């Protein structure tokens, strides 16, 4: 039987090549994911300890220090945790210390050559001035050695077009820019200081001054010759006390690796999730393909039974055949996975993601890929093999080599209808019950119902969609529809494979558009300002606010802040008269826009009335207006709040600075003109960005767009695999209908009409699957939005008809392309030869 199986493989190689493509692509995605993430890990191993090569012991702030500061925020602002100069000197005086330097590591900003802040996630850090501690890879110039010198990373250096010796504006966490001389360029790619943004390195003294700190956030220490790192760490621990978390160089390396590996593993899980979806779709395609192939080989199987082969031998022969196909396809998938991994790296580099490492193919990846690919193929072939080998020999010999359409059991249809109804009910109930569990259950049950009810639902939809085609193409379309619904189980299995990928794509598209529309509407309602200023590093200084208010192009500049007065249990809000009325609020007495210094706008729950006085930290404010707040989570808002002028708030809470500003355009100026004027001030404050509402919306929704693009790309492979299923079904159907097509050709059907018949059949199969997928995805997304709204969200279901139409169009076009090869095979065979086929 083994030799017979191998001969069968050679004889049916063309048919099996098509079926193996689904496994090749599924395994390629999984193998490519492992190759890609293993490359990231390898690069991490090579670079994670690069900055600590000369560090014997490192000291960071301990969790105890952070908790103490978090527990007393006012004290934390006045005396933030860290290591003062006295502590650093104490460490330098230890017997095992050769050299020690303080480290400051915060966020910062850099003004680009266009006069605007460099976008991204910049890191502002001190660089060691001692040669005994310097481990940076310097690509040009030298590290900062004196006050006023700046070192940046090579990516920012190249993109901005800087030159060594240029005078640039940089800022630490305090946000105030400082003119500095660019003296060095370093490569920090793949290290712990690679956040995807600019790297800004200055001397420790400059780092303290530019960050507004009085203490270092860490220390790096080199040991004297002969002093073990562990022994030195014990000395340092005694010197710094509970404030410091002391680690040896090896411990720093291990901690860095653990964090990076954890991040890579999380990304790996995300990618493998999409790989699992592709493999699941491939399983559908493989099962359907083997069902058709074994039905076409019914006579061959029967003949083997007649000459002495047992049913078990025939079954094992098919399983062995599937194992060989899966194994060979998995090898091809591993090779294709190398290409996918290289493509991932290229795309992410183009998107400016920090990307290091090459292609790393391990034995683990090879074994896992072979097991998954072979396992899925064998598992998918088990049921078709069991059915195909249970055909009675005499019945098989007396029948044609065409799979008979088995009736769909009533129990299956009833269970399918129940599952579909239960799924729809869960999706509708998700909003009322406020549980994401019902959204997931609704999606799974609805899909299960489509699978079980498919042999009835799919042919019905094919006939419905085919009706206008009959009017357009006449007999050609009629024949295509008849062929498509001839075997309900077969077309249902083919179409359902498309439901998975397109359903998920549609769900994310509808959900993403709904979120984007919700974000836009909330910005329009809640932000009355023409444009916003936002700090990417720390608070915005009063100095900057004062400069902006002096610009004639700007109208009102507000500093939104909040505090809680513990004595009165009131929330104190900082505002300006123009923005005194919040989103959803309504004035019930007085005019909020008449707010002035010494006055306050109170909310209804405070119980205050116009004319009443309220005391905050010993200062009295007269209520000039009372407002009713909007509901929270569909319940009355009970927040007790008063709004006061920015200047009054600053007097009460001088250490509370805003992280953003709101501003209006002065009368007689355009928003663009006002923003240009603001940029002239912001050149000296590189951590602060300004944007109008449209730009603010675009920035917030760009994350959604990026996510949608990523998900669509990842799910695209599942859709491609399902379309391969359409091509497989059509190709194998052409093989079994060879004689039938010959008869049609003999009675006058032209080659063009035969091609058209197959094209219509393919398009109908794909469109039905795509429509069901779009409907399922839209329903799931609608259920998710309703669930989020029940928890206090405000997202109306927004259906992107244009994008969904493109999905349907692409599915139809791809199906048309998939029909080319089967059509070429059908029309290329001579009519006489086709008629002679049994």
């Amino acid at each position: 039987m083994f030799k017979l199986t191998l001969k069968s493989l050679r004889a049916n190689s063309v048919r099996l090549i098509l079926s193996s493509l689904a496994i090749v692509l599924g395994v390629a995605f999984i193998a490519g994911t492992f190759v890609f993430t293993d490359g990231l890990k390898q690069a991490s191993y090579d670079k994670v300890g690069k900055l600590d090569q000369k560090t014997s012991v490192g000291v960071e702030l301990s969790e105890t220090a952070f908790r103490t500061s978090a527990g007393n925020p006012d004290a934390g602002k006045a005396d933030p945790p860290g290591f003062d100069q006295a502590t650093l000197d104490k460490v330098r005086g230890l017997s095992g210390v050769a050299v020690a330097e303080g480290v400051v590591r915060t966020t910062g900003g850099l003004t680009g050559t266009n006069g605007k802040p460099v976008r991204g996630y910049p890191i502002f850090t001190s660089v060691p001035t001692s040669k005994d501690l310097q481990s940076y890879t310097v690509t040009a110039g030298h590290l900062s050695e004196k006050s006023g010198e700046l070192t940046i990373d090579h990516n920012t250096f190249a993109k901005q077009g800087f030159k060594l010796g240029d005078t640039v504006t940089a800022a630490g966490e305090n946000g105030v820019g400082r003119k500095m001389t660019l003296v060095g360029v370093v490569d920090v790619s793949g290290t712990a200081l690679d956040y995807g943004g600019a790297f800004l390195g200055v001397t420790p003294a400059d780092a303290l001054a530019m960050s507004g700190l009085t203490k270092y956030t860490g220390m790096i220490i080199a040991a004297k010759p002969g002093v073990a790192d562990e022994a030195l760490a014990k000395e340092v621990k005694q010197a710094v006390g509970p404030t410091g978390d002391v680690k040896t160089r090896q411990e720093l390396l291990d901690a860095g690796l653990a964090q990076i590996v954890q991040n890579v593993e999380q990304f790996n899980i995300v990618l493998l999730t999409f790989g699992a979806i592709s493999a699941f779709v491939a399983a559908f395609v493989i099962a359907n393909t083997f069902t058709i192939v074994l039905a076409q080989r019914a006579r061959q199987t029967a003949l083997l039974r007649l000459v002495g082969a047992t049913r078990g031998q025939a079954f094992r022969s098919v399983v062995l055949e599937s194992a060989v196909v899966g194994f060979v396809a998995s090898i091809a998938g591993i090779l294709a996975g190398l290409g996918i991994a290289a493509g991932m790296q290229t795309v992410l580099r183009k998107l400016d993601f920090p990307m290091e490492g090459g292609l790393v193919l391990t034995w683990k990846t090879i074994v896992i890929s072979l097991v998954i690919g072979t396992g899925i193929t064998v598992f998918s072939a088990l049921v078709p093999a069991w059915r195909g080998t249970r055909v009675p020999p005499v019945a098989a010999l007396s029948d044609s080599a065409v799979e008979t359409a088995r009736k769909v059991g009533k129990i299956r249809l009833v269970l399918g209808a129940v599952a579909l109804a239960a799924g729809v009910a869960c999706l509708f109930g998700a909003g009322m019950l406020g549980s994401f569990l019902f959204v997931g259950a609704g999606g799974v049950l609805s899909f299960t119902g489509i699978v079980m009810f498919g042999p009835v639902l799919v042919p019905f939809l094919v006939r419905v969609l085919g009706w206008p085609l009959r009017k357009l193409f006449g007999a050609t379309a009629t024949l295509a529809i008849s062929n498509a619904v001839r075997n309900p189980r077969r077309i249902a299995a083919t179409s359902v494979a498309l439901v998975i990928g397109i359903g998920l794509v549609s769900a994310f598209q509808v959900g993403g558009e709904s979120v984007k529309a919700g974000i836009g509407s909330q910005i329009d309602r809640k932000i009355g300002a023409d444009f916003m200023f936002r700090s990417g590093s720390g608070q915005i200084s009063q100095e900057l606010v004062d400069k902006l208010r002096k610009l004639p192009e700007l109208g009102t500049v507000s500093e939104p802040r909040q505090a809680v007065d513990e004595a009165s249990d009131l929330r104190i809000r900082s505002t300006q008269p123009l923005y005194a009325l919040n989103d959803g609020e309504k004035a019930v007495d007085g005019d909020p826009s008449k707010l002035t210094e010494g006055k306050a706008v109170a909310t209804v729950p405070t119980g205050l009335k116009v004319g009443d006085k309220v005391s905050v930290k010993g200062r009295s404010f007269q209520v000039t207006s009372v407002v009713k707040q909007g509901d929270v989570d569909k319940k009355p808002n009970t927040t007790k709040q008063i709004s006061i002028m920015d200047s009054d708030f600053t007097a009460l809470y001088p250490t509370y600075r805003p992280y953003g500003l709101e501003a209006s355009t002065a009368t007689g100026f355009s928003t663009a003109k006002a923003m240009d004027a603001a940029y002239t001030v912001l050149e000296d404050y590189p951590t602060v960005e300004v944007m109008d509402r449209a730009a603010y919306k675009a920035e917030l929704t760009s994350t959604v767009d990026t996510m949608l693009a990523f998900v669509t790309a990842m799910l695209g492979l599942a859709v491609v695999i399902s379309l391969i299923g359409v091509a497989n079904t059509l190709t194998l159907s052409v093989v079994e209908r060879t004689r039938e097509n010959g008869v049609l050709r003999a009675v006058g059907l032209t080659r063009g009409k035969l091609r058209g018949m197959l094209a219509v059949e393919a398009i109908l199969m794909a469109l039905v699957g795509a429509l069901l997928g779009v409907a399922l995805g839209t329903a799931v997304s609608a259920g998710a939005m309703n669930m989020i709204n029940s928890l206090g969200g405000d997202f109306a279901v927004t259906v992107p008809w244009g994008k969904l139409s493109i999905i349907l169009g692409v599915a139809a076009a791809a199906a048309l392309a998939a029909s080319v090869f089967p059509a070429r095979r059908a029309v290329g065979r001579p009519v006489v030869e086709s008629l002679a086929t049994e």
Side-chain angles (χ1 to χ4, degrees):
M1 290 299 291
F2 179 75
K3 292 182 179 179
L4 187 63
T5 300
L6 295 180
K7 290 182 179 179
S8 175
L9 283 169
R10 286 194 293 269
N12 297 281
S13 58
V14 176
R15 302 182 190 183
L16 294 175
I17 285 174
L18 286 174
S19 62
S20 66
L21 283 177
I23 289 298
V24 170
L25 293 179
V27 170
F29 194 102
I30 294 172
T33 295
F34 280 116
V35 170
F36 174 71
T37 53
D38 285 342
L40 291 180
K41 289 180 186 177
Q42 186 61 54
S44 300
Y45 297 150
D46 295 339
K47 287 202 168 189
V48 71
K50 199 169 186 179
L51 301 180
D52 298 313
Q53 288 178 356
K54 296 183 179 181
T55 300
S56 302
V57 172
V59 184
E60 300 172 343
L61 287 171
S62 65
E63 292 185 8
T64 302
F66 279 116
R67 284 198 298 266
T68 302
S69 175
N72 190 354
D74 287 332
K77 291 177 182 179
D79 185 26
F83 309 100
D84 56 22
Q85 187 63 42
T87 303
L88 178 58
D89 291 339
K90 184 178 180 180
V91 170
R92 285 172 172 168
L94 296 175
S95 59
V97 173
V99 61
E101 288 195 19
V103 174
V104 174
R105 196 160 289 167
T106 64
T107 55
L110 178 69
T111 300
T113 51
N114 60 355
K116 298 178 181 180
V118 175
R119 305 296 295 272
Y121 299 93
I123 183 167
F124 180 82
T125 181
S126 60
V127 293
T129 55
S130 172
K131 299 291 185 183
D132 294 333
L133 288 171
Q134 293 176 351
S135 299
Y136 285 89
T137 301
V138 180
T139 60
H142 59 83
L143 293 177
S144 304
E145 298 173 349
K146 298 181 295 185
S147 179
E149 294 184 341
L150 177 69
T151 303
I152 66 173
D153 63 288
H154 72 286
N155 288 329
T156 303
F157 182 79
K159 289 179 182 178
Q160 292 298 320
F162 289 134
K163 296 179 181 178
L164 291 179
D166 283 353
T167 299
V168 297
T169 302
E173 194 169 23
N174 68 3
V176 180
R178 177 177 172 182
K179 301 294 182 182
M180 309 194 77
T181 303
L182 183 56
V183 298
V185 181
V186 295
D187 179 10
V188 295
S189 302
T191 68
L193 298 181
D194 184 9
Y195 285 80
F199 167 89
L200 310 174
V202 298
T203 63
D206 278 353
L208 284 175
M210 295 173 67
S211 298
L213 300 176
T214 58
K215 298 178 181 179
Y216 297 105
T217 59
M219 288 184 280
I220 52 176
I221 305 156
K224 289 181 178 179
V227 178
D229 292 350
E230 292 76 11
L232 180 58
K234 291 180 180 179
E235 278 192 89
V236 174
K237 181 62 179 175
Q238 292 178 350
V240 300
T243 303
D245 181 13
V246 181
K247 290 184 174 71
T248 64
R249 181 180 182 278
Q250 186 60 48
E251 289 172 337
L252 290 172
L253 177 63
D254 293 341
L257 282 175
Q259 182 61 50
I260 291 176
V261 169
Q262 181 182 0
N263 294 338
V264 173
E265 289 295 343
Q266 290 173 348
F267 189 38
N268 191 40
I269 290 173
V270 172
L271 293 178
L272 287 178
T273 300
F274 291 105
I277 294 172
S278 297
F280 184 62
V281 175
F284 267 85
V285 173
I286 288 293
N288 195 38
T289 301
F290 267 95
T291 298
I292 300 172
V293 169
L294 292 176
Q296 294 174 355
R297 283 161 42 186
R299 288 187 174 184
Q300 177 183 329
T301 304
L303 182 60
L304 289 174
R305 294 287 309 283
L306 285 175
V307 297
T310 65
R311 180 176 296 164
Q313 286 178 316
F315 176 80
R316 288 191 293 272
S317 175
V318 175
V319 172
L320 177 60
E321 186 176 326
S322 66
V324 173
V325 171
F327 185 81
V328 174
S330 297
I331 293 175
I334 293 171
L335 297 176
L338 294 173
I340 288 180
M344 288 182 183
Q345 290 182 345
T346 301
V347 170
L348 290 176
R349 288 192 181 105
K350 292 288 186 183
L351 296 175
D352 290 335
F353 278 84
M355 187 57 52
E356 292 290 322
L359 304 180
V360 177
L361 180 62
T362 65
W363 280 108
K364 172 187 170 184
T365 299
I366 294 174
V367 171
I368 291 177
S369 299
L370 290 176
V371 170
I372 291 176
T374 306
I376 289 175
T377 308
V378 171
F379 180 78
S380 302
L382 288 178
V383 173
W386 180 79
R387 287 176 179 168
T389 56
R390 291 184 68 83
V391 179
V394 175
L397 288 172
S398 63
D399 199 5
S400 63
V402 178
E403 179 187 8
T404 56
R406 294 184 295 115
K407 291 184 178 180
V408 183
K410 292 183 179 179
I411 295 178
R412 171 175 174 167
L413 293 178
V414 170
L415 290 177
V418 170
L420 189 58
V424 173
C426 284
L427 292 176
F428 272 107
M432 294 182 290
L433 299 173
S435 172
F436 189 76
L437 180 64
F438 279 86
V439 178
V444 172
L445 287 172
S446 298
F447 174 73
T448 303
I450 291 173
V451 172
M452 300 183 72
F453 208 66
V456 172
L457 180 62
V458 172
F460 170 76
L461 292 176
V462 167
R463 291 187 178 97
V464 171
L465 293 177
W467 181 80
L469 296 179
R470 285 180 176 178
K471 300 296 182 182
L472 289 173
F473 303 108
T476 301
T478 301
L479 287 170
I481 295 168
S482 299
N483 287 333
V485 301
R486 177 184 299 183
N487 192 315
R489 289 175 180 265
R490 179 184 299 181
I491 190 175
T494 303
S495 297
V496 164
L498 267 169
V499 173
I500 303 170
I502 291 181
L504 289 171
V505 170
S506 301
F508 278 100
Q509 289 293 339
V510 175
E513 290 298 324
S514 300
V515 170
K516 288 169 62 178
I519 290 173
S521 63
Q522 289 182 41
I523 290 175
D524 289 336
R525 291 197 312 268
K526 294 184 177 181
I527 298 180
D530 293 324
F531 46 90
M532 289 72 64
F533 296 85
R534 186 185 62 184
S535 172
S537 175
Q539 302 169 332
I540 295 178
S541 67
Q542 186 65 50
E543 177 187 82
L544 173 57
V545 176
D546 293 340
K547 288 182 179 180
L548 291 172
R549 283 176 174 161
K550 290 178 181 179
L551 292 175
E553 293 87 353
L554 301 188
T556 298
V557 178
S558 177
E559 309 170 64
R561 291 163 289 176
Q562 289 184 354
V564 176
D565 180 48
E566 296 181 358
S568 60
D569 196 28
L570 288 174
R571 186 168 71 182
I572 315 300
R573 171 176 170 253
S574 171
T575 189
Q576 290 286 326
L578 183 62
Y579 309 120
L581 199 63
N582 259 342
D583 169 52
E585 292 182 343
K586 294 181 180 179
V588 296
D589 194 6
D591 186 356
S593 65
K594 301 298 184 183
L595 178 67
T596 59
E597 291 186 354
K599 306 295 184 180
V601 175
T603 58
V604 171
T606 62
L608 296 170
K609 298 179 181 179
V610 173
D612 289 349
K613 291 189 176 182
V614 58
S615 177
V616 180
K617 298 185 74 173
R619 184 173 175 181
S620 179
F621 293 88
Q622 185 179 27
V623 177
T624 187
S625 178
V626 178
V627 299
K628 180 181 180 181
Q629 297 169 290
D631 294 343
V632 176
D633 295 344
K634 300 182 179 180
K635 298 179 181 178
N637 192 330
T638 59
T639 302
K640 297 178 180 180
Q641 173 183 286
I642 64 169
S643 299
I644 61 177
M645 292 288 290
D646 288 335
S647 55
D648 288 334
F649 189 97
T650 300
L652 292 172
Y653 304 97
T655 61
Y656 284 61
R657 297 302 309 153
Y659 291 88
L661 305 173
E662 297 179 351
S664 64
T665 305
T667 303
F669 294 94
S670 65
T671 301
K673 187 73 174 178
M675 289 181 64
D676 288 340
Y679 274 123
T680 62
V681 174
L682 295 183
E683 286 184 5
D684 295 327
Y685 298 87
T687 64
V688 180
E689 295 181 87
V690 60
M691 60 187 75
D692 58 18
R693 272 188 290 181
Y696 188 48
K697 286 181 189 178
E699 180 173 280
L700 293 180
T701 57
S702 64
T703 303
V704 180
D705 289 330
T706 301
M707 183 269 293
L708 288 178
F710 174 77
V711 170
T712 302
M714 294 298 100
L715 292 173
L717 188 62
V719 176
V720 170
I721 291 174
S722 59
L723 289 170
I724 288 175
V726 173
N728 277 353
T729 300
L730 204 59
T731 299
L732 296 174
S733 297
V734 165
V735 171
E736 72 180 19
R737 297 202 303 254
T738 300
R739 187 173 185 179
E740 179 182 325
N741 290 335
V743 172
L744 290 173
R745 291 283 309 283
V747 298
L749 187 70
T750 65
R751 291 187 176 188
K753 289 186 177 181
L754 180 57
R755 288 192 181 96
M757 181 183 74
L758 294 173
V760 170
E761 185 177 349
I763 290 173
L764 287 174
M765 279 192 286
L767 275 182
V768 168
L771 282 171
L772 288 173
V774 167
L776 177 61
T778 302
V780 170
S781 191
M785 291 301 108
N786 290 331
M787 183 274 296
I788 293 173
N789 290 339
S790 70
L791 299 177
D794 187 15
F795 298 99
V797 178
T798 304
V799 180
W801 297 108
K803 291 184 178 179
L804 296 183
S805 299
I806 290 174
I807 290 174
L808 294 176
V810 169
L816 182 62
S819 70
V820 172
F821 176 76
R824 181 179 298 174
R825 177 166 184 158
V827 302
R829 194 161 189 173
V831 175
V832 175
E833 184 179 330
S834 298
L835 291 173
T837 303
E838 295 185 2

